Amino acid sequence: MTFHYDNPYASTRHPVFARNLVAASHPLAAQAGLRMLQEGGNAADAAVAAAAAMTICEPVSNGLGSDAFCILWDGKQLHGLNAAGRAPAKWSVDYFQKKYGDADAPPKRGIDSVTVPGAVAAWVQLNKRFGRLPLADVLAPAIDIAERGYLVPVVVGRKWAAAVPELQSQPGFGDIFMPRGRAPQVGELFQFPAAAQALKRIAASRGVAFYGGEIAHAIERFAAAQGGVIEASDFERYQPEWVETISMSYRGYQLHEIGPSTQGIAALMALGMLDHFDLRALGVGSVSSKHVQIEAMKLAFADVYRHVAEPSSMGVDATQMLDESYLKSRARLIRMNKAQDFGPGLQQGGGTIYLTAADENGMMVSFIQSNYQGFGSGCVEPEFGISLQNRGHGFSLQESSPNVVAPGKRPFHTIIPAFLTRDGQPVMSFGVMGAHMQPQGHVQALVRMLDQDLNPQAACDAPRWRVNPDGTLNVEASANPAVVQELKDRGHRIEALADSYQDFGAGQFIWRLGDPKVEGYVGASDARRDGLVAGF
């Protein structure tokens, strides 16, 4: 691939070239990862160090109570890691109906939105299987940042302040995240000693303190005080799962995603449909190109929202959803001059952070972790500073849904790392954060790079659009007004949004340029957040 390095979009950033790269949405996290590489670690060590630092530096998106997923190239093959949390053993439809009546889903906030967090287990597994350095060394930068504190950056500071009105009444939130009775201001020092203690216990026990040990028991006591039923035994039973990726061919490349219960399959389905259109001939920035991409995403989401859940609960499987003839038939439904609303085509047979790291020996890591909606549940166990996710809100309370809540089950998941290969060899480790924006971000970035030859930073900077679950369309404020008007003329229901952080996601990209020891990589970090690509 030969990229164009003249960026047609407004940007404050340039692509970064190096033989070792770490890209994250906070500079201190990227530097924590780089420190591991400089101390003899590999990309797995760098990713875990950066992920741990991110729980301290960007608490508006993730924390020690997050879930996580990873795709890793070890030099010979890809490995997928599913560290989605599972429902407590005492959760059931009956449990929620007795407490909340006829709700459609578990609550958005509070202790009954919390499943067993998987991110710490992901760190332990990555370090154990692929890392070179002791876990204590890998977590040391995050511990130092938590103890000494850091100055709150611009984007994080704004999101922190915006979250306070909704979450300040949640147990533990004010104690930890409002140290002066308010959100920290931009440029103000924030220290997190409780999380430092948790990280030290995790490091010393190689995760046992979190999964059945003193941290798990502290969370059990905290949950019980709020009327919750998550217990230390739920943590002790928890194990992340090593999985095969699922993939789709597009323009001679293979996009890899983690399979259900994540929404990564939506990006694969959309690309499978787009492969039947010549987007390069249409002009990637043209209204026709955007229209086709939007319609393909709508078609993909129609099936994803109907069918995707824990694989054992799905009435159709990933193979059926990615069938070439099926996606071709779906592509035929797209009308070039008319926006449409689509239903699922298959019938049933029965606040996130993303980071990536790559080293000169060829290891590449695509890693994502999240508390789901901003700070997540809003509940923060105060002794160890565990900010708990709200992934339980992703379950359904409808018995007919494949995503219905059940003990030990994993909910529908929005967070998805991605990886690109060609002829069985690694090409790019990447991801785009932001709820249901994520598969759409994957598609838009790949189209920009593979059909328009834009370099990763330019593809990252390009204005984005977002299809919503109700079929409406949001466009970034920087989008071409003429193209927006033409999309409206084709029937798209459009609203422009100015908040790029949450609504249009944020990405990190590392593209392999050749032999990592010689040519190395080119990396990009999204200007929609406070991030950095660090390299040497």
Side-chain angles (χ1 to χ4, degrees):
M1 169 65 73
T2 301
F3 291 124
H4 298 312
Y5 284 103
D6 51 338
N7 191 339
Y9 307 107
S11 178
T12 57
R13 302 186 181 181
H14 296 286
V16 176
F17 302 86
R19 295 183 181 90
N20 300 272
L21 286 178
V22 184
S25 54
H26 193 288
L28 295 182
Q31 291 163 4
L34 193 65
R35 175 174 152 187
M36 296 302 104
L37 294 170
Q38 291 170 326
E39 292 179 359
N42 59 19
D45 296 314
V48 173
M54 286 301 300
T55 66
I56 309 301
C57 296
E58 197 174 309
V60 299
S61 305
N62 74 136
L64 289 169
S66 283
D67 284 354
F69 296 88
C70 178
I71 301 176
L72 180 147
W73 175 264
D74 67 1
K76 296 181 180 179
Q77 65 183 88
L78 280 178
H79 305 267
L81 181 60
N82 182 334
R86 294 184 181 273
K90 293 183 178 179
W91 274 16
S92 65
V93 172
D94 185 60
Y95 169 79
F96 286 101
Q97 288 181 340
K98 285 180 177 178
K99 292 187 73 171
Y100 301 102
D102 295 327
D104 292 328
K108 178 181 177 182
R109 309 290 187 190
I111 200 65
D112 280 331
S113 67
V114 181
T115 59
V116 178
V120 170
W123 304 350
V124 173
Q125 284 292 317
L126 285 170
N127 178 258
K128 180 179 179 180
R129 185 170 181 181
F130 294 107
R132 286 181 181 170
L133 302 176
L135 184 61
D137 292 356
V138 174
L139 298 185
I143 293 169
D144 182 64
I145 295 168
E147 288 183 328
R148 298 180 63 185
Y150 62 94
L151 302 186
V152 173
V154 175
V155 177
V156 167
R158 291 171 181 166
K159 290 300 164 185
W160 206 320
V164 163
E166 180 182 4
L167 300 179
Q168 59 186 337
S169 63
Q170 292 296 336
F173 185 88
D175 295 337
I176 297 296
F177 293 123
M178 300 171 62
R180 301 169 184 84
R182 54 169 172 76
Q185 296 174 352
V186 173
E188 191 170 35
L189 182 71
F190 175 71
Q191 295 170 295
F192 205 167
Q197 289 304 310
L199 286 164
K200 288 178 180 178
R201 304 285 180 90
I202 291 165
S205 67
R206 294 189 59 79
V208 174
F210 199 95
Y211 293 100
E214 58 262 49
I215 297 174
H217 284 279
I219 294 172
E220 177 181 323
R221 292 190 297 271
F222 172 75
Q226 317 309 323
V229 295
I230 193 167
E231 297 177 345
S233 56
D234 294 311
F235 283 73
E236 191 170 7
R237 280 190 295 270
Y238 181 77
Q239 288 290 332
E241 181 183 4
W242 290 102
V243 297
E244 298 288 334
T245 61
I246 57 175
S247 65
M248 174 60 63
S249 177
Y250 184 75
R251 308 299 192 242
Y253 294 82
Q254 289 284 129
L255 174 63
H256 299 262
E257 303 273 358
I258 300 291
S261 59
T262 84
Q263 64 173 339
I265 197 169
L268 304 182
M269 295 179 72
L271 288 177
M273 295 177 225
L274 292 175
D275 212 29
H276 297 284
F277 296 86
D278 188 347
L279 298 186
R280 186 179 290 269
L282 290 176
V284 175
S286 70
V287 63
S288 292
S289 173
K290 292 185 185 299
H291 170 78
V292 170
Q293 294 174 61
I294 292 163
E295 295 295 279
M297 282 307 319
K298 287 160 64 176
L299 283 159
F301 277 138
D303 277 320
V304 167
Y305 292 147
R306 174 64 183 88
H307 299 297
V308 170
E310 267 284 63
S312 61
S313 299
M314 290 172 60
V316 300
D317 61 26
T319 301
Q320 292 171 277
M321 296 177 77
L322 296 176
D323 179 75
E324 182 179 357
S325 61
Y326 174 65
L327 295 179
K328 185 176 182 179
S329 71
R330 296 291 271 172
R332 290 196 190 105
L333 298 177
I334 296 174
R335 300 289 176 263
M336 293 301 297
N337 295 310
K338 181 181 179 182
Q340 302 177 78
D341 292 321
F342 302 102
L346 290 167
Q347 298 303 311
Q348 190 159 317
T352 303
I353 68 93
Y354 174 82
L355 59 92
T356 177
D359 63 42
E360 62 184 54
N361 293 314
M363 181 179 284
M364 301 176 70
V365 182
S366 180
F367 188 92
I368 196 163
Q369 67 186 18
S370 172
N371 267 5
Y372 191 19
Q373 295 172 317
F375 281 94
S377 66
C379 299
V380 189
E381 190 287 314
E383 182 180 356
F384 294 106
I386 311 298
S387 175
L388 294 160
Q389 39 85 325
N390 63 331
R391 282 292 168 186
H393 184 58
F395 280 120
S396 172
L397 298 180
Q398 303 301 312
E399 295 280 8
S400 60
S401 170
N403 196 41
V404 64
V405 69
K409 187 175 180 179
R410 292 178 294 203
F412 176 83
H413 242 281
T414 56
I415 62 173
I416 49 173
F419 205 97
L420 194 70
T421 63
R422 182 165 188 154
D423 300 327
Q425 296 301 306
V427 174
M428 180 170 61
S429 173
F430 75 109
V432 177
M433 307 164 254
H436 60 274
M437 180 66 215
Q438 293 184 50
Q440 306 183 63
H442 292 185
V443 168
Q444 291 174 61
L446 286 180
V447 167
R448 294 284 184 184
M449 285 186 264
L450 304 185
D451 288 303
Q452 197 178 359
D453 304 329
L454 289 184
N455 72 75
Q457 187 63 57
C460 203
D461 295 331
R464 296 184 183 135
W465 45 264
R466 183 188 72 174
V467 173
N468 296 311
D470 64 0
T472 59
L473 182 69
N474 298 132
V475 294
E476 208 158 11
S478 56
N480 184 329
V483 171
V484 173
Q485 183 57 53
E486 288 188 65
L487 287 171
K488 288 181 179 178
D489 292 343
R490 296 191 188 195
H492 293 281
R493 293 168 286 153
I494 294 179
E495 178 185 0
L497 295 176
D499 185 357
S500 295
Y501 170 95
Q502 185 63 38
D503 298 311
F504 298 98
Q508 319 290 333
F509 301 75
I510 295 179
W511 182 286
R512 179 168 163 162
L513 294 172
D515 182 346
K517 289 183 179 295
V518 182
E519 293 91 353
Y521 308 89
V522 57
S525 181
D526 205 309
R528 296 169 181 84
R529 292 202 181 177
D530 299 300
L532 174 74
V533 185
F536 77 96

